[in-house]
Amino acid sequence: MHENTKIVSRSVLRDVESASQMMRRFFRVTKETMRAMAGYLPTMRIWWAKKMLARHIWLDAMHADMLRSRALDLRYPRIDVDENIDVHLIHVLEKLPVVTSDEQFIIRVYRVIKPAMLQSFEKYMATSDPLDDAPSHVYLQRMINELKQELEEFDEACTRNGSSGGFDCVSLEQEFKAIMESCGGTEGPDQEPGAEFGDYLNQPEYVIPLEGGRDTSWEPAVMQVPPRAPRNIKEKLVWVAIDHANEVWAAETPAALIWQYKKAPWPMILDASRWCYDEMRHAMMGVERLEALGLQAGIDTPMVPDHWRAFSERGIESLLLLLHGLEQSGPRHKMNLRKTLSEVNDFDGAQDCDYDWADESGHISFGLAWIKLVFPNWSKEQIMSETRKICEEWSEWIQRRHREGTHGYEKFMERIEDKCS
Ligand SMILES: [Fe+2]
Ligand SMILES: [Fe+2]
């Protein structure tokens, strides 16, 4: 090139090496925060926040998936195994769910990490070439839009539920901001937090609770299945809605797997995040139907983690088996319900079941893949017999309480009969 040749340079230059490092860091922050949200989901008692977490776990898992694929595009060959590079960040985020209140967890995620991620994504867009690095821009633009949406949903829910006070604790926010910055924050480079962060880092590991938390405004309950058959069409609709509303445990189960099996192959974690959100949607369908029928879930009808109550002492693996076992009959059951509900002109309920049925078909393959991961030595026959066995135990658990009158349904039945009369 002639020494006098003048080339007009683009204003932003970022080489592939630095771009892939940023994508890898963004992937780690997004994935590990999502894992912490999944781990905390069963503990969360605030109902609106629990619903919000399930939705955002799935959105964030999709973001992590895009970031992961972009990091791999950019000549980064070992994204899932090469964790040593972000070891301090991972250590900090592993302690994210170790909190003393739901509010503290929410502050860490929604007041510190998500706003910081949004800022970093916007900064990356401004400091990288929109042509050379176009795929990153496409992914990041979608993530920016969805992160803004997540933060808006959080703000709206706070305002709607009148609980903004609990989420405006500046000292908790500042404290966690400092912890995040101590390890290099959302952009890195990864660094060892100073000794002053030892109290945070040396806390005991977060442990999944034995029972999923339920909103403190709800009535304590023993079980969800009513102790008698419905006596009229309205009761029949209520019975279906109670069953749907109580699928919260089924959202908590894949969420707990995401936390507990951190080395699971990435595509299985991504599937589990969708599974978690689907089940929470199913629960929300039930709560909405109850509302339409004039009943308030948790007050007039039970909202209770009874499946976990019965089996969680045997480990989350037993709940995976139970969920998979019950899901075997899911599509047929929901298909029949769709027909039954249409026949009694409950078209909203029928549509819920139609979409639920579509979701359930996917869950059967997610469940089988997870069982194979968790019990690698089990044959197909063993998987079938173990799932059948735990489903039988579950129905015995229910029947025993009905038989012995220890179902705790008296107050609910009174309210339901009152509303259905
Ligand atoms: Fe479901
Ligand atoms: Fe399902």
Side-chain angles (χ1 to χ4, degrees):
M1 190 185 299
H2 191 273
E3 60 186 14
N4 290 331
T5 304
K6 274 198 171 172
I7 298 176
V8 180
S9 170
R10 291 185 191 138
S11 56
V12 283
L13 289 174
R14 178 192 288 281
D15 65 10
V16 167
E17 176 73 23
S18 130
S20 75
Q21 273 173 22
M22 292 303 289
M23 288 296 142
R24 189 208 64 227
R25 184 81 176 178
F26 291 166
F27 165 69
R28 293 266 198 268
V29 181
T30 308
K31 178 189 168 191
E32 296 306 323
T33 304
M34 180 278 292
R35 281 191 58 249
M37 288 159 70
Y40 195 76
L41 181 99
T43 296
M44 177 64 75
R45 296 178 76 94
I46 305 170
W47 175 231
W48 65 260
K50 203 174 186 97
K51 291 184 286 183
M52 178 182 76
L53 275 187
R55 173 174 162 79
H56 296 173
I57 284 165
W58 180 53
L59 289 178
D60 294 351
M62 288 193 291
H63 297 172
D65 191 54
M66 287 188 274
L67 292 163
R68 178 179 177 273
S69 87
R70 187 61 186 145
L72 293 169
D73 279 352
L74 293 167
R75 302 199 287 264
Y76 197 90
R78 302 169 61 221
I79 191 86
D80 286 331
V81 287
D82 199 3
E83 290 186 339
N84 292 340
I85 299 169
D86 296 304
V87 69
H88 298 298
L89 170 77
I90 291 171
H91 191 181
V92 161
L93 292 176
E94 263 173 3
K95 301 293 165 137
L96 184 53
V98 185
V99 287
T100 52
S101 68
D102 286 349
E103 285 80 1
Q104 190 181 9
F105 182 77
I106 292 283
I107 286 169
R108 287 178 175 184
V109 175
Y110 287 84
R111 294 269 193 236
V112 180
I113 299 179
K114 286 183 183 289
M117 290 302 293
L118 185 59
Q119 206 176 13
S120 295
F121 289 169
E122 284 174 333
K123 187 170 144 201
Y124 184 98
M125 295 277 276
T127 55
S128 57
D129 190 280
L131 177 63
D132 291 344
D133 199 4
S136 300
H137 278 237
V138 170
Y139 293 155
L140 286 173
Q141 190 57 62
R142 176 178 158 190
M143 286 180 243
I144 288 168
N145 295 346
E146 289 180 356
L147 264 180
K148 282 183 179 165
Q149 196 189 338
E150 288 186 23
L151 291 170
E152 276 167 23
E153 285 169 8
F154 165 61
D155 284 337
E156 276 167 23
C158 277
T159 313
R160 203 173 43 245
N161 294 284
S163 36
S164 58
F167 300 103
D168 283 330
C169 181
V170 177
S171 62
L172 284 178
E173 198 178 312
Q174 294 305 332
E175 183 190 72
F176 194 68
K177 247 182 204 157
I179 293 169
M180 277 301 285
E181 279 159 19
S182 75
C183 68
T186 50
E187 295 174 24
D190 201 54
Q191 63 191 37
E192 188 168 1
E196 66 270 35
F197 298 101
D199 284 352
Y200 172 86
L201 291 168
N202 295 325
Q203 295 175 101
E205 297 283 297
Y206 170 74
V207 179
I208 301 280
L210 284 176
E211 276 190 22
R214 295 292 179 268
D215 204 284
T216 49
S217 69
W218 292 346
E219 290 276 1
V222 177
M223 62 187 299
Q224 58 185 281
V225 182
R228 65 162 175 80
R231 290 176 181 149
N232 52 49
I233 288 173
K234 189 164 179 194
E235 279 193 0
K236 164 98 184 146
L237 299 181
V238 171
W239 267 226
V240 170
I242 292 173
D243 185 52
H244 232 174
N246 277 285
E247 288 191 26
V248 181
W249 78 278
E252 290 168 331
T253 300
L257 289 171
I258 292 175
W259 175 257
Q260 209 129 305
Y261 287 85
K262 64 177 177 183
K263 301 278 183 205
W266 171 250
M268 291 186 57
I269 291 184
L270 183 61
D271 287 345
S273 75
R274 171 64 197 275
W275 195 3
C276 165
Y277 181 44
D278 285 351
E279 300 299 0
M280 191 61 86
R281 284 169 45 241
H282 301 167
M284 288 159 69
M285 290 171 187
V287 171
E288 275 188 17
R289 295 312 300 141
L290 285 169
E291 235 168 65
L293 292 159
L295 293 148
Q296 200 185 336
I299 305 292
D300 299 317
T301 62
M303 288 292 277
V304 57
D306 45 1
H307 300 74
W308 277 46
R309 188 167 288 171
F311 296 108
S312 66
E313 271 179 7
R314 299 186 202 169
I316 192 64
E317 297 76 12
S318 64
L319 289 153
L320 165 66
L321 280 177
L322 179 63
L323 180 54
H324 183 62
L326 296 175
E327 284 184 331
Q328 303 287 319
S329 53
R332 178 179 293 272
H333 175 56
K334 293 291 152 62
M335 187 177 74
N336 291 337
L337 266 181
R338 179 184 162 225
K339 195 165 165 277
T340 312
L341 296 179
S342 299
E343 282 165 4
V344 295
N345 297 335
D346 179 11
F347 298 112
D348 294 278
Q351 177 170 293
D352 287 347
C353 291
D354 201 12
Y355 280 87
D356 179 315
W357 166 23
D359 297 332
E360 288 305 327
S361 313
H363 299 176
I364 293 175
S365 61
F366 299 165
L368 189 60
W370 271 94
I371 289 175
K372 284 179 177 167
L373 179 87
V374 170
F375 303 104
N377 300 322
W378 282 12
S379 64
K380 199 176 158 203
E381 290 69 31
Q382 193 171 3
I383 292 174
M384 281 165 65
S385 77
E386 294 289 345
T387 49
R388 205 171 35 239
K389 213 157 56 188
I390 199 158
C391 286
E392 283 164 8
E393 273 188 76
W394 171 237
S395 76
E396 171 50 27
W397 192 94
I398 295 169
Q399 285 161 19
R400 192 170 65 247
R401 269 150 195 80
H402 284 172
R403 221 172 29 237
E404 295 169 356
T406 51
H407 44 68
Y409 232 92
E410 293 81 1
K411 56 183 176 292
F412 297 119
M413 200 52 90
E414 221 173 88
R415 290 172 193 171
I416 295 168
E417 284 173 356
D418 186 40
K419 299 263 166 79
C420 289
S421 62

